[in-house]
Amino acid sequence: MNILQLENVQKAYEKHIAVNDVSFNVPKGSIFGLLGPNGAGKTSLIRIITTITRADVGQVYLDGEKLNSRHPEQIGYMPEERGLYKKMKVGDHLMYLAQLKGLSKIKAKEEITYWFKKFDIEDWWDKKVEELSKGMQQKIQFIATVIHRPKLLILDEPFSGLDPINTNLIKDEIDELHQNGTSIIFSTHRMEQVEEICEHIVLINQGKNILEGKVKDIKNQYKKNLFQIDFEGNLPNDIHSFATVKDQKKNAIVLQLQEGQDSNKILRHLLDKGIIIHAFNEILPSLNEIFIRQVEEQNNQI
Amino acid sequence: MNKLGLIIKREYLTRVTRRSFILATLLTPLAFALFFVIVGVIFSYESDDSKRIAIIDEGNMLEKKMRDENNLFFKFVDTELDILKKNFDDFDYDGILVIPPIKDIMTKDHTVYYYSDKQPTLDVETLIRSRVRNSIRNYKIDQLELQRDQLEAINTKISLEPEPINESGEDASKITGAIAAVIGGVMGMIMYMTVFIYGMMVMRSVMEEKTNRIVEVMISSVKPFQLMLGKIIGVGAVGLTQVAIWAILIPSIGFLVQIIFGFNSSPNMPLPTEGAEINPDDAQAMAAMVLAELQSQDWLMILPLFILYFLGGYFLYSSLFAAVGSAMGDDLGEGQALTIPITIPVILAFYIMFVAIQAPNSSLAVFSSIFPLFSPIVMPARLAFGPPIWEVLLSVAVLIGTSIFFVWLSGRIYRVGILMYGKKVSIKELGKWMFYKD
């Protein structure tokens, strides 16, 4: 079951094509990475999903339903460029945003109290937004995004401008929401965060979908059969007949196996020779590498 | 509560509860009052200064008659001027008025001399000139042996009484035109100021939301059009509140000031004219006439129409200001050029308004009071002159239609503008945005 389905979505501004025939599915309950370099069309896509703009061509389905004007209440969106009304009191501000998301006054108050307790900021209600530090404001932003318990949460560069402590705090909250079944779209160009958090990704470049799938599958697809072995002892000379040596240090070696070769065979051979193996790892390509390779490949084609 | 309502409520409440709003709303009438008090004190202060003035009237043209006035005390003396001047301090006079005898009775110019160590103040000078003039006039009449009543009869007072052609037409009194001009001028002025003040307020607020980046959070919950309309209505309500408070406070404070300080809030400046003293009976009759004229105005028609034009003009212009605000970047100066096309018609309308007051039925006035960019300022100025009903109806219809159209049009620019960053925008580009798809 998919929480979000995009079918051949297209969007053009004047002469510039921002989104060019993009299709992908976001499985329900997953953490989904929407990746792409700056200007790839991520924000344009998000604006279509959040009903801020409409696709010129193609369809978007939220939870099986064609996107309509009632859907914003089921989506929580934290834009990359985010702000608050500086002169408003924190409590009033959250009440306002929560009610705009369709919450009743009572329900909104309940939820705010819950989050204030959770973040241990119960005395913030009457503070003005401008009195808060940037990190504190980010917390308020986050609360505003999730206060209506959205089915789908869209976070655009959620950690930009956050210190490590707040980053962890928000990460934990994202985890918890994920545990509770919220589907999360995570838009970023910071690959290490994606690897850490996301299960599925789609890679967008120049308005086009160039890669999509489970993180594990993609990594497997792009692996080069590289293995790193940490060892003690003298390597046998016939190791070259098993695989190509890519890198060799005193107690570590990187081997590339031929397609179809069995890694167990090498391991067994080395053990037979009396070498002590400390570690035997397959080196999977980082998403960063795949990302750069794919983007460059596509850009070269044009 | 629906979303538009929530937005209006926030826009309204955050503004009216702001300290600066409360201060401006309350202090402006107080500042007016203070101004009048100070002006009043200044003028009454002068007359506190009592003066004793000696008069040397060698030709006895004044026949020893010179009424004391306020703090001016006159005394006819026979002492020589030289002696008086020498012992000026001992005599305790503030001034010496010397009236040389008139040698040629037919002369039209005559100079009197005022000796003092201080310049005579304007009111003293005016009073002395007018008194002496009247006395010399009487003196000449007697010398020439003229008949006083015949002389009076020479001056004929002419009054022009406007009369309608039709029997049924309204009988306008002679001051109708003046009163209507004042009412019209005041209304046009209020319109002009409110359009600017609150239109600019909308523009600044839109810019703030954009530079704050709150706008993207907002429009993931509400439509850009709702946000814009909510803001316009909210700020408009703030404007109505402020104007209403002023409408109550300014006259009541003025009234209080009059009671407490016991002088007229519009101090009658002693005008240095050569005219005779105003007959107090005339002044009273005038006041009664003005009052009657004000009462005879069709306020039941003028006031609702005024509010209608206020709303129409406000919606029309503030939506344009909102559209321009949405296109502006962080830099107010850079976007200033975009406001020029909006401010020009407002200023033009303001000047046309003065023409409309003087010639309410001229073709320029009629055209401008129907043309929707001018009508919110020009038509209210004409209302007191009783313009033809069809003109008013047409003008209102055109204004309402145009306002709705402009709000819609501005909404189309706004929705693109608020998401457009880091780009210097030209008017031409704004035009293009209107045709963008959602």
Side-chain angles (χ1 to χ4, degrees):
Chain A
M1 201 38 195
N2 294 320
I3 184 77
L4 189 72
Q5 276 174 278
L6 271 76
E7 286 175 5
N8 309 98
V9 171
Q10 225 176 87
K11 176 83 186 169
Y13 294 103
E14 266 183 289
K15 284 158 204 155
H16 167 66
I17 296 169
V19 179
N20 191 357
D21 199 25
V22 169
S23 307
F24 62 82
N25 297 327
V26 179
K28 205 175 241 180
S30 68
I31 301 190
F32 186 92
L34 175 60
L35 316 179
N38 289 325
K42 287 181 306 227
T43 306
S44 297
L45 262 178
I46 292 173
R47 283 184 182 161
I48 291 168
I49 297 166
T50 50
T51 73
I52 290 173
T53 56
R54 231 178 305 178
D56 301 343
V57 183
Q59 282 304 336
V60 181
Y61 298 91
L62 186 77
D63 212 2
E65 248 186 319
K66 233 185 214 185
L67 216 54
N68 63 47
S69 60
R70 295 209 61 78
H71 279 143
E73 294 181 2
Q74 301 169 18
I75 299 175
Y77 171 42
M78 183 152 92
E80 180 181 3
E81 300 283 2
R82 41 192 178 253
L84 296 165
Y85 290 112
K86 291 202 168 63
K87 302 270 175 204
M88 267 182 112
K89 285 179 182 166
V90 173
D92 294 346
H93 203 314
L94 285 172
M95 283 295 287
Y96 178 52
L97 292 175
Q99 281 175 280
L100 285 180
K101 282 291 187 187
L103 260 58
S104 70
K105 232 178 178 165
I106 300 161
K107 186 85 182 123
K109 197 155 188 177
E110 244 174 61
E111 290 289 334
I112 296 168
T113 315
Y114 164 79
W115 281 101
F116 274 19
K117 243 184 212 148
K118 188 159 192 182
F119 283 172
D120 202 20
I121 50 173
E122 280 145 298
D123 55 336
W124 281 15
W125 190 286
D126 282 327
K127 267 193 188 163
K128 274 193 180 167
V129 170
E130 59 187 353
E131 292 168 32
L132 303 181
S133 73
K134 207 159 176 214
M136 290 158 132
Q137 288 189 24
Q138 300 260 25
K139 275 188 202 169
I140 304 299
Q141 294 278 6
F142 183 79
I143 297 174
T145 313
V146 297
I147 194 132
H148 55 298
R149 298 182 185 270
K151 281 185 195 170
L152 177 65
L153 190 59
I154 302 175
L155 306 171
D156 196 352
E157 300 289 357
F159 305 125
S160 75
L162 279 188
D163 63 34
I165 297 169
N166 278 321
T167 305
N168 272 338
L169 184 91
I170 300 293
K171 251 185 211 165
D172 290 348
E173 289 311 324
I174 293 174
D175 263 350
E176 198 179 321
L177 286 164
H178 175 56
Q179 299 298 328
N180 295 338
T182 309
S183 312
I184 300 165
I185 294 180
F186 190 90
S187 163
T188 186
H189 56 262
R190 304 273 304 273
M191 291 305 143
E192 72 281 4
Q193 289 173 356
V194 179
E195 244 162 307
E196 209 177 319
I197 297 171
C198 300
E199 299 155 351
H200 289 75
I201 59 158
V202 61
L203 179 56
I204 308 281
N205 189 37
Q206 297 182 340
K208 279 189 181 152
N209 171 358
I210 56 174
L211 195 64
E212 186 205 342
K214 281 191 177 170
V215 172
K216 221 165 70 191
D217 295 348
I218 288 174
K219 283 191 156 194
N220 275 328
Q221 191 187 330
Y222 285 89
K223 73 179 175 187
K224 293 170 179 167
N225 294 318
L226 287 174
F227 289 85
Q228 171 160 354
I229 307 161
D230 294 358
F231 62 92
E232 233 169 280
N234 290 320
L235 277 180
N237 286 332
D238 59 355
I239 190 86
H240 295 281
S241 61
F242 286 95
T244 326
V245 177
K246 283 278 176 190
D247 192 20
Q248 189 165 6
K249 282 180 193 131
K250 192 168 174 265
N251 288 320
I253 191 166
V254 176
L255 299 176
Q256 183 167 35
L257 272 62
Q258 309 298 317
E259 198 63 47
Q261 242 174 345
D262 190 357
S263 54
N264 281 0
K265 224 166 117 188
I266 300 174
L267 187 55
R268 206 173 294 127
H269 182 71
L270 290 174
L271 289 171
D272 287 347
K273 297 281 175 191
I275 290 165
I276 301 161
I277 306 288
H278 287 298
F280 188 84
N281 291 323
E282 180 167 17
I283 303 177
L284 287 173
S286 71
L287 275 179
N288 205 26
E289 285 171 54
I290 299 172
F291 177 95
I292 291 170
R293 207 186 324 154
Q294 287 298 308
V295 167
E296 277 174 356
E297 211 168 276
Q298 199 206 9
N299 289 358
N300 286 337
Q301 280 170 14
I302 295 161
Chain B
M1 198 188 281
N2 67 13
K3 290 177 182 178
L4 183 63
L6 280 167
I7 296 168
I8 295 171
K9 195 177 126 196
R10 193 202 82 88
E11 294 290 341
Y12 181 78
L13 285 181
T14 50
R15 280 189 178 75
V16 295
T17 55
R18 210 170 280 173
R19 198 173 299 136
S20 56
F21 173 85
I22 297 170
L23 282 180
T25 310
L26 296 182
L27 286 187
T28 305
L30 279 179
F32 268 105
L34 195 68
F35 174 76
F36 286 134
V37 168
I38 289 172
V39 169
V41 166
I42 290 169
F43 278 101
S44 58
Y45 180 79
E46 280 294 305
S47 46
D48 277 352
D49 183 20
S50 70
K51 280 195 172 73
R52 279 159 48 81
I53 296 168
I55 302 176
I56 300 175
D57 182 16
E58 286 167 31
N60 195 23
M61 292 187 297
L62 269 55
E63 294 174 323
K64 309 257 188 249
K65 275 186 267 175
M66 188 79 157
R67 241 187 319 124
D68 292 339
E69 171 101 17
N70 283 345
N71 298 302
L72 288 179
F73 302 99
F74 298 101
K75 191 165 191 263
F76 287 89
V77 292
D78 295 326
T79 328
E80 290 285 317
L81 176 64
D82 286 342
I83 299 169
L84 266 178
K85 278 202 315 200
K86 230 176 258 167
N87 304 304
F88 188 69
D89 292 331
D90 298 336
F91 281 109
D92 198 23
Y93 288 121
D94 294 283
I96 308 158
L97 183 65
V98 177
I99 302 164
I102 288 181
K103 295 195 178 79
D104 176 10
I105 201 81
M106 296 307 286
T107 188
K108 289 204 69 173
D109 297 306
H110 192 57
T111 312
V112 301
Y113 301 93
Y114 183 79
Y115 295 92
S116 175
D117 47 2
K118 275 179 245 141
Q119 280 280 321
T121 54
L122 189 63
D123 53 342
V124 171
E125 193 188 322
T126 313
L127 185 99
I128 290 175
R129 272 210 315 237
S130 120
R131 287 282 180 78
V132 173
R133 184 174 147 272
N134 280 337
S135 298
I136 290 184
R137 185 167 179 273
N138 286 334
Y139 170 77
K140 282 185 176 172
I141 290 169
D142 290 341
Q143 291 295 307
L144 294 168
E145 293 175 356
L146 300 172
Q147 286 298 312
R148 218 166 276 264
D149 46 354
Q150 282 176 353
L151 260 181
E152 291 296 333
I154 290 173
N155 290 325
T156 318
K157 216 168 106 191
I158 309 293
S159 48
L160 184 94
E161 186 76 29
E163 290 292 338
I165 298 275
N166 303 335
E167 287 291 312
S168 59
E170 267 180 61
D171 189 2
S173 84
K174 55 193 164 190
I175 59 163
T176 299
I179 292 293
V182 170
I183 295 173
V186 168
M187 283 192 167
M189 198 74 147
I190 293 175
M191 290 300 308
Y192 171 75
M193 276 167 45
T194 47
V195 161
F196 260 131
I197 293 174
Y198 301 109
M200 287 286 190
M201 203 185 267
V202 168
M203 185 181 81
R204 266 203 308 276
S205 164
V206 168
M207 269 179 63
E208 256 173 45
E209 279 181 1
K210 189 182 169 187
T211 45
N212 255 354
R213 316 278 166 149
I214 175 76
V215 73
E216 193 146 348
V217 176
M218 291 298 297
I219 57 170
S220 67
S221 304
V222 300
K223 293 261 153 256
F225 185 73
Q226 285 177 312
L227 186 58
M228 186 189 85
L229 192 64
K231 183 176 296 295
I232 290 175
I233 296 174
V235 173
V238 172
L240 280 179
T241 307
Q242 197 163 41
V243 170
I245 291 174
W246 284 345
I248 296 165
L249 271 190
I250 291 178
S252 41
I253 288 182
F255 185 65
L256 273 180
V257 165
Q258 271 188 47
I259 291 176
I260 295 170
F261 292 91
F263 50 68
N264 204 315
S265 57
S266 53
N268 10 9
M269 304 260 296
L271 294 173
T273 49
E274 297 286 321
E277 287 165 76
I278 295 169
N279 186 345
D281 291 341
D282 276 358
Q284 233 168 37
M286 190 71 177
M289 206 144 60
V290 169
L291 210 63
E293 197 55 50
L294 282 175
Q295 277 163 354
S296 79
Q297 287 290 338
D298 196 355
W299 291 107
L300 276 179
M301 178 164 116
I302 290 178
L303 280 184
L305 275 174
F306 178 73
I307 291 170
L308 206 60
Y309 278 102
F310 174 86
L311 292 177
Y314 169 74
F315 271 97
L316 193 152
Y317 277 106
S318 63
S319 67
L320 289 178
F321 275 117
V324 165
S326 78
M328 280 192 196
D330 304 3
D331 184 12
L332 180 69
E334 197 178 85
Q336 210 71 48
L338 292 175
T339 62
I340 290 172
I342 309 175
T343 50
I344 283 177
V346 182
I347 292 168
L348 272 182
F350 186 63
Y351 284 110
I352 295 172
M353 178 192 90
F354 288 108
V355 176
I357 290 171
Q358 280 159 16
N361 291 315
S362 64
S363 52
L364 177 67
V366 171
F367 165 76
S368 301
S369 56
I370 291 167
F371 182 62
L373 286 175
F374 297 159
S375 66
I377 292 171
V378 178
M379 193 50 125
R382 281 184 71 209
L383 282 179
F385 294 96
I389 287 296
W390 71 266
E391 277 179 23
V392 178
L393 289 180
L394 178 64
S395 153
V396 166
V398 171
L399 179 63
I400 291 176
T402 316
S403 308
I404 292 171
F405 176 66
F406 273 34
V407 169
W408 174 81
L409 204 68
S410 299
R412 298 206 43 97
I413 295 172
Y414 176 85
R415 94 212 133 108
V416 179
I418 46 172
L419 294 175
M420 199 73 79
Y421 288 106
K423 202 168 157 192
K424 209 177 162 189
V425 183
S426 64
I427 301 273
K428 208 175 122 195
E429 213 142 350
L430 290 189
K432 273 193 207 158
W433 290 355
M434 287 182 229
F435 302 104
Y436 272 23
K437 282 170 286 182
D438 260 337

